[in-house]
Amino acid sequence: MPFMEEALEEARAAGSRGEVPVGAVLVHNNKILARAGNRTLQHNDPSGHAEMLVIREACSKLQSQRLPECDLYVTLEPCTMCAAVISFARIRRLYFAAEDNKGGAVQNGVRFFTQPTCHHSPDWYSGLSEQAAADLLTEFFKSRR
Amino acid sequence: MPFMEEALEEARAAGSRGEVPVGAVLVHNNKILARAGNRTLQHNDPSGHAEMLVIREACSKLQSQRLPECDLYVTLEPCTMCAAVISFARIRRLYFAAEDNKGGAVQNGVRFFTQPTCHHSPDWYSGLSEQAAADLLTEFFKSRR
């Protein structure tokens, strides 16, 4: 399955737990090293976003706080917190599906990777499986209104 | 001991472990609920900043991902990642000592709390024990050159 499809699987699983349906996979040497969906509610952790969870797990597995040969696939444009930790971890490439004009920080908001206080920027690509990822979020928020 | 002094103790302890000497305490009902210094190296975790660690610990203790009655004392201006998690956690007041014009995100860099994509801003105050906190960092980086 393409990596973004795997991230979408994680997003669906997060939604079914009542979490905002965002998922991510962290890829190293063309294999998935870590996979996660949002767990902010379940973990009582405001930092428990999918991207944060896969980065922490991958760092733990590789025993390093930097992941310069790793690529991250995530179903939603990373927020300000996650854009910063992606930079700190020296992620090589970032692929995200839907954009987030309310909370995103890559092509929206603070556009962190273009800032002088950003000391590493991944190559980043948006729009893979964009519709599927956006539909998941739209359905989720509609069902909770 | 004043809370910023407690944060400085954590910063010194971090420096003695070889970590960047930044410390934080999280205060609830005038008591310290969580205290930490940086642990990025020890935990192999690029998100292991003092602020992030105390917020995670306090959320875990209070079984909530929001800390609207908590105040955070930290020896250095929070970075972009930490400013965002401070906002997500709905921290009430933020006090920081030294400013960080290279990586800070409150009165430097992305000035996150003033951004339209920031949905909660703490009241924040800078400059308490500024010199002591800045000296710790200057000595640390000088000793490593």
Side-chain angles (χ1 to χ4, degrees):
Chain A
M1 203 180 342
F3 293 128
M4 192 60 87
E5 288 298 315
E6 302 273 3
L8 279 163
E9 280 296 304
E10 291 296 324
R12 283 182 206 106
S16 70
R17 294 190 301 265
E19 305 272 0
V20 177
V22 177
V25 298
L26 204 292
V27 174
H28 183 234
N29 291 338
N30 217 34
K31 281 190 194 145
I32 293 177
L33 185 63
R35 55 191 307 147
N38 273 6
R39 296 256 181 198
T40 60
L41 297 172
Q42 192 180 349
H43 289 178
N44 283 316
D45 180 359
S47 78
H49 290 188
E51 305 94 304
M52 179 67 83
L53 298 178
V54 294
I55 287 172
R56 293 178 74 198
E57 186 181 338
C59 285
S60 178
K61 282 185 173 166
L62 297 181
Q63 291 287 291
S64 167
Q65 56 163 323
R66 295 191 173 170
L67 304 168
E69 295 175 352
C70 291
D71 304 325
L72 176 64
Y73 292 75
V74 56
T75 60
L76 184 66
E77 181 180 354
C79 74
T80 304
M81 173 186 76
C82 290
V85 80
I86 286 165
S87 172
F88 296 163
R90 306 289 192 270
I91 295 288
R92 182 174 59 181
R93 295 190 197 104
L94 162 68
Y95 301 87
F96 64 88
E99 78 168 322
D100 181 2
N101 57 23
K102 281 187 190 150
V106 178
Q107 62 188 36
N108 288 283
V110 303
R111 292 173 171 77
F112 184 60
F113 301 137
T114 68
Q115 295 283 341
T117 50
C118 174
H119 307 300
H120 164 83
S121 171
D123 294 326
W124 62 268
Y125 310 88
S126 64
L128 285 83
S129 307
E130 184 171 7
Q131 197 61 51
D135 287 351
L136 257 182
L137 286 156
T138 306
E139 286 302 313
F140 178 80
F141 287 110
K142 202 189 288 177
S143 73
R144 290 165 68 95
R145 240 176 251 134
Chain B
M1 205 180 341
F3 294 128
M4 191 60 88
E5 287 299 314
E6 302 273 2
L8 278 164
E9 280 296 304
E10 291 297 324
R12 285 183 204 106
S16 71
R17 294 189 300 265
E19 305 272 0
V20 176
V22 177
V25 298
L26 205 292
V27 174
H28 183 234
N29 290 339
N30 216 35
K31 281 191 194 146
I32 293 178
L33 185 63
R35 55 191 308 148
N38 272 6
R39 296 255 181 199
T40 59
L41 296 171
Q42 192 181 347
H43 289 178
N44 284 316
D45 181 358
S47 79
H49 291 188
E51 305 93 306
M52 180 67 84
L53 298 178
V54 293
I55 287 173
R56 285 192 186 126
E57 186 181 336
C59 286
S60 178
K61 282 184 174 165
L62 297 180
Q63 291 285 293
S64 168
Q65 56 164 324
R66 296 192 173 169
L67 304 168
E69 295 174 353
C70 292
D71 303 326
L72 176 64
Y73 292 75
V74 56
T75 60
L76 185 66
E77 181 181 352
C79 74
T80 305
M81 173 185 77
C82 290
V85 81
I86 286 165
S87 172
F88 296 164
R90 305 289 191 271
I91 296 286
R92 181 174 60 180
R93 296 190 197 104
L94 163 67
Y95 300 88
F96 64 88
E99 77 167 321
D100 181 1
N101 57 23
K102 281 186 190 150
V106 178
Q107 61 188 35
N108 287 284
V110 304
R111 291 172 172 75
F112 184 61
F113 301 137
T114 68
Q115 295 283 341
T117 50
C118 174
H119 307 299
H120 164 83
S121 170
D123 294 327
W124 62 266
Y125 309 88
S126 62
L128 284 83
S129 307
E130 183 171 6
Q131 197 60 52
D135 287 351
L136 257 182
L137 286 156
T138 306
E139 287 302 313
F140 178 79
F141 287 111
K142 203 189 287 177
S143 74
R144 292 165 67 96
R145 242 176 251 133

